[in-house]
Amino acid sequence: MDFRLTPEQQQFQDSVLKFAKANLASAALARAHAAGYPWDVAKLMAKQGLLGITIPEADGGQGGSLMDAVIAIESVASVCPRSADVIQAGNFGPIRVLAEYGSTSQKKKFLTRLLSGEAVISVGMTEPDAGSAVTDLKTSATADGDGYRVNGSKIFTTHSAYADVILTYVRFGPGVGGIGSVLIGTKDPGVRRGKPSTFMSGEEWAELHFDNVHVPADMVLLREGGFKKQIGGFNVERIGNASRSLALGRYAFERARAWALERRQFGKLLAEFQGLQWKFADMKMQLDAAQLLLYRAAANADRGFPSPDETAIAKAYCNRAGFDVANEALQVMGGLGYSQEELVEYCVRRCRGWMIAGGSIEILKNRIAEGIFGRSFSQRGDKG
Ligand SMILES: Cc1cc2nc3c(=O)[nH]c(=O)nc-3n(C[C@H](O)[C@H](O)[C@H](O)COP(=O)(O)OP(=O)(O)OC[C@H]3O[C@@H](n4cnc5c(N)ncnc54)[C@H](O)[C@@H]3O)c2cc1C
């Protein structure tokens, strides 16, 4: 066992850091507060080979491992937290599921633009009446001629305000076995965006309505029975969420550490007060523990999908650690930490969202408990 990065991974980390410092550092604060998607960053990253890191070369990707993608997201976030979302979108999210299960024609239609940073794909799972209980989703796909008619709506979809295509979870029939997914272009007839809204993080989203949208048969990604496969791919997205939580916690920690070595009160540096030293010690322990759990899940996945158990543990721990550390870092920086002149308050707001998104901490703990006891526990009413 070796807890260090390999020389190749170290070299890759150095090169991403160099790229991020040269291209992303100066506008990092402005980017965190800007509306919309950072398309300029996406195009730059595409040129740098940072989109599609884990996607096979035959599909236009880099053919790397999940650890490579984690290294990329961490390195970018350490310089520009907002730009880490572009690494997420281009490597960890529905793009990976599309690359894994998509047909040649689906990949041809969407992947090229996604990998060149000109378009972004969203995953639409959550509905007004199906959040944590995602298998209660109602959006239906009914056979019609050479394809399907899709009716329903999705909420809280990341990138929904500007995505080109939605990997949409739909119901072909009853029960969990009836769930599959289709690819719907946001400009397709019958697709409507509802009232724009924003999360606490500043990210925009809009309810997506599908009113009798025609989906040709060749735009079905996974037919009924595909739910398990989709969630397998979704574990990659969870690793990306975990990585960003940890990376933004670390960003805030590093900023607070630098501040504690600069700011004087009562004639002493903040770093010289034991009450603050212990905060830093606690933060460091949380960050290091989270890092090991994240790397375990990512390294064991190699070029495949990560294990559901290791992913649940890594995401739940990184979500908690990222938020707690960013919040403590804010405290250490006092009024400056709470101000939008610094990115620390942004890190707190972003980390808060990942405790809910992509499988809330509570739902992940349910999953962890199933692994501990070797059985499933129905969360539904009378079944116990
Ligand atoms: C920043 C952000 C980005 C998101 N991006 C997307 C996206 O791109 N695509 C998408 O489809 N969705 C997205 N979501 C939605 C997200 O997946 C849901 O918010 C999440 O699944 C929780 O569903 P809910 O909000 O309906 O809460 P509910 O399911 O109503 O849950 C409310 C609370 O109860 C807890 N809870 C529920 N059931 C249980 C249980 N059985 N045991 C213990 N606790 C329980 C939950 O953990 C939560 O704390 C995003 C959400 C956020 C905040």
Side-chain angles (χ1 to χ4, degrees), residues 94 121-134 154-160 167 169 199-201 203 205 234 237 241 349-350 352-366 377-380:
I121 180 170
S122 290
V123 59
M125 302 164 72
T126 310
E127 299 182 1
D129 294 326
S132 301
V134 65
K154 300 287 175 184
I155 55 169
F156 300 150
T157 313
T158 299
H159 306 312
S160 46
L167 194 166
Y169 280 40
F199 289 123
M200 175 180 169
S201 57
E203 292 165 283
W205 67 274
F234 194 65
E237 175 141 11
N241 287 356
R349 288 187 284 117
R350 288 305 305 274
R352 190 67 189 82
W354 292 313
M355 295 164 83
I356 300 166
S360 67
I361 289 183
E362 293 78 19
I363 294 300
L364 294 170
K365 284 185 181 173
N366 291 346
F377 297 96
S378 172
Q379 304 295 310
R380 290 177 194 281

Side-chain angles (χ1 to χ4, degrees), residues 6 53 62 67 76 80 110 139 144 149 166 204 227 254 273 278 319 327 351 360 371:
T6 64
I53 294 169
Q62 311 297 321
M67 257 313 284
V76 166
C80 176
F110 298 113
T139 298
D144 180 42
R149 290 282 166 187
I166 314 289
E204 306 156 295
F227 184 72
E254 290 299 343
F273 295 113
W278 285 11
N319 287 162
N327 202 30
C351 286
S360 67

Side-chain angles (χ1 to χ4, degrees), residues 2-63:
D2 187 346
F3 289 102
R4 289 164 303 181
L5 297 180
T6 64
E8 293 76 27
Q9 288 169 334
Q10 190 67 60
Q11 204 178 9
F12 180 59
Q13 186 181 56
D14 292 345
S15 79
V16 181
L17 260 177
K18 194 169 158 205
F19 161 82
K21 282 179 184 159
N23 296 285
L24 307 173
S26 60
L29 185 62
R31 213 171 273 124
H33 298 293
Y37 191 68
W39 295 110
D40 54 333
V41 173
K43 287 183 191 119
L44 267 181
M45 284 183 177
K47 274 205 196 107
Q48 187 70 14
L50 294 176
L51 305 186
I53 294 169
T54 57
I55 291 175
E57 284 167 286
D59 289 331
Q62 311 297 321

Side-chain angles (χ1 to χ4, degrees), residues 203-226:
E203 292 165 283
E204 306 156 295
W205 67 274
E207 184 162 356
L208 293 164
H209 300 278
F210 306 116
D211 301 326
N212 228 18
V213 176
H214 178 252
V215 174
D218 66 354
M219 285 301 129
V220 173
L221 184 69
L222 285 166
R223 297 195 52 85
E224 52 265 65

